[in-house]
Amino acid sequence: MIVYISRRLLSAVVTVLLASVIVFAAVQLLPGDVATQVLGQDATPDAVAALREQMGLNRPAVLRFLDWITGAVRGDFGVSLVSGEPVSATLWLHLRNTMLIAVATIAVAVTSSIVLGVVAGLYRDRWPDTVVSTLTLIGMSVPEFVVATLLVLALSITVPVLPAVVLDEASAPVADLLPAVVLPTIALSVVMTAYIVRMTRTSVIDVMESEFVTTARLKGLGTGRVVVRHALPSALLPTLNVIAMNVAWLVGGVAVVENVFNYPGVGRMLLEAVHNRDLPVLQAIAVVSAAVYVLCNLAADLGAMALNPRLRTGERSAR
């Protein structure tokens, strides 16, 4: 197990490093000059040249990348071209706000989707399955920004019980942001639940038709015990990767939903950085998002090993 985890961590480091190279190269290939963008189109050539020298843009790209990646490892992503503030401090603040939505959405969506998926799988082709499948299809068909807009119309305008937009800054206390987390959480849970329910339903149907479940039933075990003790752990295995991808999608910042609610998270920060061509911020968000995806995949693999001892046995045999 330790060797497997070590190999996966090494693979994760290599993946993030490759993502960093790609992100840095893509940013460098963008048209336009950063110094001209900072100073404006009316800047004199001497001023542009001086700023390029100050920002190190005249140095070879390889050296600039090594400086940037060394700082990124220490948590220093440079300085924003727009605000002049350290990117790290601003990014972690927005990431904290995104985590409020992500944690709430994960708690709601994962729990409800597993329950609904199991119910739909156990009652295949009966009315509970029909209802769940229909709702799931609707959830998958409607984009999250449409769900967010409908929630604003219903719960912020028609029945004004929740705030439609967030007026607080990113540095606002968590307690002030909590009321604004409800609507984004509902909007994202609808979309996220739909995908996980489909996978869970399919897995439950396949597992309930397997030989070991039939054997457990022949031994006289009740349906509840068969599902909880035998079927559910195996049914969750293919679902873990879907959950991991959705979690990474959330933590990486759901730009559209955060923009609808004016929520000060990573998604809105990304949109503002794209609009302002704030390259250091773009690089930082891209690398952090890549790291989140890698860690979520690693967590899904470790979860699969914990649920299925045969994977651990296979790993030992491979060694």
Side-chain angles (χ1 to χ4, degrees), residues 17-29:
L17 181 61
L18 290 176
S20 304
V21 173
I22 295 173
V23 169
F24 185 86
V27 168
Q28 301 306 310
L29 292 174

Side-chain angles (χ1 to χ4, degrees), residues 50-96:
L51 183 59
R52 285 184 59 85
E53 184 66 28
Q54 179 183 344
M55 298 176 68
L57 297 178
N58 294 327
R59 302 173 61 205
V62 174
L63 296 179
R64 284 187 282 124
F65 171 76
L66 292 176
D67 288 344
W68 176 72
I69 197 64
T70 302
V73 171
R74 301 195 306 266
D76 180 11
F77 292 101
V79 178
S80 170
L81 299 180
V82 177
S83 65
E85 298 177 353
V87 174
S88 301
T90 307
L91 176 59
W92 301 133
L93 203 58
H94 285 77
L95 185 61
R96 179 206 67 174

Side-chain angles (χ1 to χ4, degrees), residues 179-200:
V181 170
V182 178
L183 290 183
T185 297
I186 297 174
L188 294 172
S189 295
V190 169
V191 179
M192 183 174 172
T193 299
Y195 288 96
I196 301 177
V197 166
R198 297 283 292 181
M199 179 59 70
T200 305

Side-chain angles (χ1 to χ4, degrees), residues 270-296:
L270 175 63
L271 290 178
E272 292 175 352
V274 171
H275 181 265
N276 297 323
R277 289 179 56 86
D278 199 341
L279 303 186
V281 174
L282 285 175
Q283 292 176 174
I285 294 176
V287 170
V288 170
S289 299
V292 169
Y293 270 98
V294 169
L295 291 176
C296 286

Side-chain angles (χ1 to χ4, degrees), residues 91-110:
L91 176 59
W92 301 133
L93 203 58
H94 285 77
L95 185 61
R96 179 206 67 174
N97 298 338
T98 294
M99 286 299 296
L100 295 177
I101 295 178
V103 171
T105 303
I106 292 168
V108 173
V110 173

Side-chain angles (χ1 to χ4, degrees), residues 245-262:
M245 289 297 97
N246 280 274
V247 170
W249 170 64
L250 289 173
V251 177
V254 188
V256 176
V257 171
E258 289 185 356
N259 191 54
V260 169
F261 295 104
N262 195 43

